[in-house]
Amino acid sequence: MTTLDLEKSIVETAYARWAPIYDAVCGPVMLKGRRAAAEAARAVGGKVLEVGVGTGLSFDDYDTSTEITGIDLSAPMLAKARARMATGRYPWVKGVQEMDAHAMTFADATFDCVVAQFVITLVENPEQVLSECHRVVKPGGRIILVNHLYSETGLAAAVERWAAVKTRSLGLRPEFPFARLQAWSQANAESILVERRKVAPFGIYTLVTFERTAAALAA
């Protein structure tokens, strides 16, 4: 299965359009996946980077056991996140920045955990973004992804291939396979796959966790 990656310009344009309605449309649909990712991040605790923080929908899913920094490519989405922060309800959110996840400005080994919710299938170069997440997470730290991943076989796969053409301009890519994530990890000597599981109740989303191995300390 060949997957055509999304261009950065498509994603930026699409999510500028999504910003006014994103919370109402996507919030309820993505609730279970979002909470599963945040729960896994809270289990790690410490400094957490949210890649693709969007409008800050996930802020409610964290607590004072974490220190959240968010980045996103979309200025309109970040404006809504900053408005959320301004309410004072989220003291654990330290800041959000407009930043391209392909080339983050953070120093190596800055965060205890990196979370990317409904992001990795949408970026222009998923492998490069994964490598950046790996770079900025500490040895022993985790990269937590949650996404809909390509079904690969059967009717669902056929529908996803059809939908891929129709939804590309919306900044969506329903036909992204797990095999790409796995291949990235296998090619990286300092990364191991810790977990891959369907998120209840319907298994629409998959939670994937990688760990930056302690071997990185010797590098």
Side-chain angles (χ1 to χ4, degrees):
M1 165 92 195
T2 300
T3 306
L4 296 176
D5 292 333
L6 294 169
E7 295 178 5
K8 178 180 173 182
S9 59
I10 291 176
V11 175
E12 285 185 288
T13 301
Y15 281 84
R17 292 172 180 164
W18 274 111
I21 60 170
Y22 186 85
D23 290 4
V25 174
C26 297
V29 174
M30 297 177 172
L31 179 64
K32 295 294 185 181
R34 194 178 73 235
R35 286 182 174 173
E39 181 181 11
R42 292 198 312 272
V44 177
K47 293 184 177 181
V48 177
L49 173 65
E50 273 263 5
V51 175
V53 70
T55 64
L57 268 175
S58 64
F59 291 169
D60 281 309
D61 303 323
Y62 293 99
D63 57 30
T64 53
S65 67
T66 56
E67 178 182 307
I68 308 300
T69 298
I71 66 168
D72 205 284
L73 199 59
S74 172
M77 300 281 267
L78 286 174
K80 298 194 76 172
R82 291 188 178 106
R84 270 194 165 89
M85 291 174 62
T87 66
R89 293 172 52 202
Y90 308 105
W92 48 85
V93 181
K94 300 307 177 183
V96 296
Q97 302 178 45
E98 186 174 343
M99 190 183 297
D100 187 346
H102 294 82
M104 298 187 211
T105 58
F106 302 115
D108 294 358
T110 296
F111 299 97
D112 298 290
C113 182
V114 177
V115 178
Q117 303 176 15
F118 311 104
V119 169
I120 204 64
T121 65
L122 307 180
V123 295
E124 188 170 9
N125 186 327
E127 290 79 8
Q128 184 176 338
V129 169
L130 283 168
S131 293
E132 276 292 276
C133 291
H134 182 269
R135 180 183 66 79
V136 301
V137 79
K138 297 175 183 177
R142 298 207 164 174
I143 301 169
I144 298 167
L145 314 174
V146 67
N147 256 103
H148 169 75
L149 297 175
Y150 178 56
S151 300
E152 298 181 7
T153 60
L155 178 61
V159 170
E160 287 161 6
R161 288 195 297 270
W162 173 84
V165 177
K166 306 295 183 181
T167 61
R168 189 160 296 273
S169 64
L170 299 176
L172 302 175
R173 180 167 47 179
E175 82 293 11
F176 190 94
F178 169 73
R180 284 187 67 172
L181 304 179
Q182 187 176 40
W184 170 83
S185 182
Q186 290 173 341
N188 188 331
E190 295 175 355
S191 172
I192 57 171
L193 174 65
V194 174
E195 183 179 25
R196 176 194 181 189
R197 64 176 168 90
K198 295 289 187 179
V199 175
F202 304 116
I204 298 172
Y205 304 122
T206 300
L207 184 81
V208 178
T209 303
F210 297 108
E211 183 175 306
R212 184 180 182 186
T213 63
L217 288 168

